[in-house]
Amino acid sequence: MNEYQVIVVGGGAAGTMAAGQAAKGGAKVLLLEKKDRLGRKIAISGKGRCNITNVENVSDFISHYPGNGRFLHSILRGFDNGALRDFLADYGVETKVERGGRVFPVSDDAETIVKALAAFLRDTGVRVETGVSVEEFLVDNGHVIGVRGNNQKQYLAPAVILCTGGSSYPGTGSTGDGFRFARQLGHQVITPRPALVPLKTAETWVKEVQGLSLRNVEGSLWVEGKRQGAEFGEMLFTHFGVSGPIILTLSRQAGDALREGKRVELRINLKPALSPEQLDARLQRDFQKYTNKQFKNAIDDLLPQSLIPVAIRLSEINPDKAVHQVSREERRTFLKLLQGLTLTITETLSIEAAIVTAGGVNVKEINPKTMASRCVQGLYWAGEVVDVDGITGGYNLQAAFAMGYRAGKAAAEQL
């Protein structure tokens, strides 16, 4: 006789939601988490603030998942952004909306989300065992019957929900275990690769401006000389290249192109609100204002201080030249630089440094109505282990919670 009816493997966003929903549906549930506590990745997300979801109309969410957004269509409607915020409010977590529709806890503390999920598990009677990693799935005649832990103990149940995460931030427990289990169980795994990851550049001048954050700029991605996409918002220079929200969103496409051996460039428009003509007029006004100054001292109003020496060097204009001696051609060169500062992208950081993993269990082998495996009876999938990934802005956590909600509910209903 089985000790449990549903076993959930992994105590992140998807796993905790799945376990609680299964228990709420009347099942006797065990949650196994390999780390010493639940929600390790939630606790560090959003720089410790946790961007839970987005207030955008849920019907528009799909376009923000470059990885199999259509698979999530009914899943997101089953547990949408409003339902998630209501759920958290029931556990004392009030939320607020920031720029770009991003939703955060009012406390700006991701730990409040972890505590709310832990309270949910207590309220629904889920048994939680931390420090237990699953070593093997037990299958009998095409039906999962339980798992074996690293403590050599067998945990038996007619339903298992696998929510082990991807391969990003392995220190939180996401070490790709789920992909190994998926292959052993006969599932196809789409090659895991980094998504939402900083980019390395060939240009070394980025070191001179590392730590500089730019707001209200446009970054466009160019592959083999053709524009492939653009994002407006914030970015950050690092000692190895670039990071920040718009870079992370462009990184998945950049990484895919690099793996195909293609030439990838990032072009930064530092003044996207102005047309070339408007920017030229603005520059000429500044030149008139500082007409007796040297060029290097006449562009303080246009650029952050640390970027000025780099921009001057790239423009090849003599920094000591008097402003009124700057030629029309030199001015045009400088204008192009301001609206097309170009960096050569050489590679992404590793998957371990990525916020999200692209790739995972093939969605064609998962029933979106239940999150049940089409390969093994009694097996369910939810969260980042599935081949679904979104851009920044709260979309990935919303997807994880929604998949967990559906998997837990379905597992309890089908017992």
Side-chain angles (χ1 to χ4, degrees):
M1 201 169 160
N2 293 326
E3 189 178 355
Y4 301 99
Q5 293 171 300
V6 176
I7 295 171
V8 178
V9 183
T16 50
M17 182 59 71
Q21 287 301 325
K24 198 173 174 183
K28 190 174 182 184
V29 181
L30 170 68
L31 172 59
L32 298 175
E33 166 55 45
K34 70 190 292 186
K35 304 303 283 186
D36 58 357
R37 57 181 295 237
L38 300 174
R40 289 285 291 269
K41 192 170 181 181
I42 295 173
I44 65 168
S45 69
K47 297 179 181 176
R49 295 176 62 224
C50 192
N51 180 191
I52 311 149
T53 185
N54 197 288
V55 291
E56 186 177 45
N57 190 311
V58 75
S59 62
D60 297 323
F61 263 52
I62 305 305
S63 63
H64 298 302
Y65 296 93
N68 293 309
R70 288 175 64 187
F71 174 78
L72 294 172
H73 197 274
S74 69
I75 296 167
L76 289 170
R77 290 189 178 280
F79 189 72
D80 63 15
N81 45 10
L84 178 55
R85 294 180 77 184
D86 289 344
F87 165 82
L88 291 170
D90 287 343
Y91 283 93
V93 181
E94 295 302 319
T95 52
K96 61 181 177 179
V97 182
E98 297 189 2
R99 189 178 51 79
R102 291 168 165 82
V103 178
F104 292 87
V106 169
S107 65
D108 284 329
D109 185 1
E111 285 292 345
T112 60
I113 308 298
V114 179
K115 288 175 182 175
L117 292 167
F120 177 47
L121 297 177
R122 286 194 300 272
D123 285 355
T124 53
V126 174
R127 176 174 172 77
V128 177
E129 286 195 27
T130 56
V132 178
S133 64
V134 170
E135 297 293 315
E136 181 186 4
F137 270 69
L138 307 176
V139 180
D140 181 35
N141 200 26
H143 196 298
V144 69
I145 59 170
V147 298
R148 180 176 60 80
N150 60 337
N151 53 8
Q152 299 308 309
K153 183 177 176 181
Q154 289 191 350
Y155 300 90
L156 303 179
V160 177
I161 308 175
L162 207 155
C163 309
T164 50
S167 297
S168 309
Y169 291 169
T172 65
S174 298
T175 52
D177 297 345
F179 305 140
R180 175 168 54 87
F181 293 136
R183 294 186 185 99
Q184 289 172 357
L185 293 165
H187 272 279
Q188 181 191 16
V189 175
I190 306 302
T191 303
R193 55 203 188 280
L196 303 187
V197 67
L199 300 173
K200 292 185 180 182
T201 64
E203 291 76 11
T204 56
W205 61 255
V206 293
K207 293 179 183 177
E208 299 174 46
V209 292
Q210 63 177 301
L212 173 64
S213 178
L214 299 177
R215 290 189 174 189
N216 303 318
V217 297
E218 182 192 72
S220 56
L221 193 70
W222 294 71
V223 178
E224 296 291 341
K226 294 181 180 178
R227 183 179 164 116
Q228 297 297 312
E231 293 291 328
F232 176 84
E234 292 180 46
M235 65 165 288
L236 173 74
F237 288 104
T238 69
H239 67 284
F240 56 79
V242 284
S243 188
I246 66 173
I247 302 303
L248 297 178
T249 296
L250 293 169
S251 67
R252 187 188 195 276
Q253 200 171 9
D256 288 346
L258 288 168
R259 278 183 287 277
E260 293 171 5
K262 295 178 179 177
R263 177 169 50 90
V264 179
E265 291 177 332
L266 173 74
R267 298 183 190 177
I268 305 165
N269 186 341
L270 299 167
K271 303 292 176 183
L274 301 177
S275 68
E277 294 75 23
Q278 290 171 324
L279 183 57
D280 189 21
R282 160 77 194 276
L283 186 60
Q284 289 188 63
R285 284 198 300 273
D286 282 4
F287 279 10
Q288 283 184 323
K289 181 179 176 182
Y290 300 111
T291 186
N292 295 319
K293 288 195 173 186
Q294 294 172 310
F295 177 61
K296 65 184 178 184
N297 298 319
I299 52 178
D300 289 12
D301 297 348
L302 271 176
L303 292 170
Q305 200 63 40
S306 62
L307 194 56
I308 290 174
V310 173
I312 291 174
R313 196 163 67 246
L314 293 173
S315 73
E316 297 183 346
I317 299 172
N318 183 346
D320 298 321
K321 181 181 277 193
V323 165
H324 65 269
Q325 292 180 331
V326 173
S327 70
R328 183 179 179 185
E329 198 57 44
E330 286 176 322
R331 194 179 76 240
R332 283 182 173 173
T333 298
F334 191 64
L335 288 169
K336 285 181 181 178
L337 183 71
L338 291 176
Q339 296 197 306
L341 182 60
T342 302
L343 287 163
T344 308
I345 306 302
T346 56
E347 59 182 308
T348 69
L349 289 196
S350 70
I351 196 167
E352 289 81 12
I355 295 174
V356 170
T357 302
V361 179
N362 191 337
V363 295
K364 292 178 181 176
E365 298 173 351
I366 300 172
N367 182 348
K369 293 179 181 178
T370 60
M371 299 306 295
S373 165
R374 298 188 191 275
C375 303
V376 181
Q377 287 185 294
L379 177 64
Y380 299 81
W381 300 92
E384 199 177 341
V385 70
V386 179
D387 182 22
V388 170
D389 62 281
I391 65 171
T392 59
Y395 300 103
N396 287 290
L397 265 179
Q398 176 66 54
F401 280 122
M403 282 190 272
Y405 178 90
R406 176 152 292 189
K409 213 164 175 323
E413 287 173 357
Q414 292 182 33
L415 284 172

